[in-house]
Amino acid sequence: MHFQHADDIWRDFPELSAVALFIDGVRSDVSVEGEIRRLQAIANERLGTGSESELPEIQAWRRTFAKMGLKPTQYRSASEALLRRFRKEGGLPAIHPLIDLCNAASLAFAIPIAVFDLSRIADFLQVRRALGDEAYLTFSEPGEVIFADGEGRAHARRWTNRQSGHSAIRPQTTRALIVAEALHETARDDVERLTIVLSEAIAAAWDVRPSMAVLDRSSPRFDFTI
């Protein structure tokens, strides 16, 4: 199996930096509370008395959404939506240890992180522009950026706006793909730091070391065996 961005995504968004991690051995009976508290404290410090919209990571995604013809305040990146909820409510609901960990990392780094149950992905996963005939619970619009698999199923719409419930992490999930993407000025350094944080937290909680790759235009594909 592999994950990659289509060539035209790198062409149209050359500032993109991305990382992908594959974890085999996911369980739901672990605790990541300590790491979540640490990451949420970082998010609180970064937010201070301001708004998530002021963060350079969020501003970069807003510019990207506008470039795709989407109104940034109507369609928010996943990281902005999480930060917005976290700022208003003071926390996030617990869903699954892996999701909770990745959500906390997304808060701390203000970078959208998608997590997919690989048992629900067919053949491969690619970030590409939609043809318009993909299956996504409802539909996808031709030309919008989506995560799509080998059977033409869209697992995320409007790039980092909305993930499909089809491949969401479940209590029975054992293998997962984690994808983080950023477009701000220090994106490359930040996604690499994010990779280290997630890798160490996963190793501590699940006692497995994920395989991973930092992706760019010259090395856009991550191959892994499930």
Side-chain angles (χ1 to χ4, degrees):
M1 183 172 279
H2 69 271
F3 168 78
Q4 69 180 110
H5 292 77
D7 290 343
D8 64 333
I9 299 297
W10 293 110
R11 181 198 67 210
D12 295 343
F13 304 96
E15 65 273 33
L16 172 66
S17 290
V19 63
L21 298 90
F22 165 59
I23 171 174
D24 186 357
V26 177
R27 305 190 320 275
S28 60
D29 61 343
V30 304
S31 175
V32 290
E33 287 303 312
E35 186 66 9
I36 287 174
R37 286 194 297 270
R38 187 184 75 82
L39 291 168
Q40 288 185 345
I42 294 172
N44 269 321
E45 184 177 352
R46 292 200 67 193
L47 286 170
T49 58
S51 167
E52 63 281 347
S53 63
E54 299 171 6
L55 298 174
E57 299 90 340
I58 300 304
Q59 291 175 356
W61 274 109
R62 284 191 169 202
R63 289 192 297 271
T64 299
F65 274 45
K67 185 175 179 179
M68 294 189 295
L70 300 172
K71 187 177 180 180
T73 54
Q74 180 179 0
Y75 300 109
R76 304 177 191 275
S77 68
S79 52
E80 181 176 359
L82 281 176
L83 281 162
R84 182 181 172 88
R85 181 173 184 178
F86 179 73
R87 176 173 54 82
K88 290 183 174 181
E89 301 179 7
L92 297 175
I95 301 172
H96 180 286
L98 185 59
I99 294 297
D100 300 342
L101 173 64
C102 289
N103 281 347
S106 182
L107 291 175
F109 285 85
I111 291 174
I113 301 174
V115 190
F116 303 94
D117 182 335
L118 286 170
S119 70
R120 309 284 286 176
I121 304 291
D123 302 328
F124 61 83
L125 192 63
Q126 182 183 45
V127 180
R128 61 166 173 81
R129 297 189 184 278
L131 302 176
D133 57 359
E134 293 84 4
Y136 175 92
L137 301 182
T138 53
F139 64 92
S140 57
E141 294 284 355
E144 72 172 286
V145 178
I146 61 171
F147 281 67
D149 68 15
E151 291 182 350
R153 182 180 295 276
H155 293 271
R157 289 195 61 193
R158 305 180 194 94
W159 203 340
T160 60
N161 169 242
R162 181 74 65 178
Q163 190 171 336
S164 168
H166 181 79
S167 51
I169 300 299
R170 295 167 171 80
Q172 61 268 32
T173 298
T174 59
R175 297 183 180 93
L177 177 70
I178 302 170
V179 178
E181 300 161 297
L183 300 108
H184 58 288
E185 186 176 355
T186 59
R188 176 73 182 216
D189 290 341
D190 291 341
V191 296
E192 290 182 355
R193 288 195 302 115
L194 173 57
T195 303
I196 293 171
V197 168
L198 282 178
S199 177
E200 291 180 350
I202 288 169
W206 284 274
D207 197 27
V208 295
R209 181 67 64 175
S211 57
M212 66 195 73
V214 178
L215 306 174
D216 56 31
R217 193 170 188 175
S218 63
S219 183
R221 177 165 162 157
F222 174 43
D223 289 279
F224 53 95
T225 302
I226 64 173

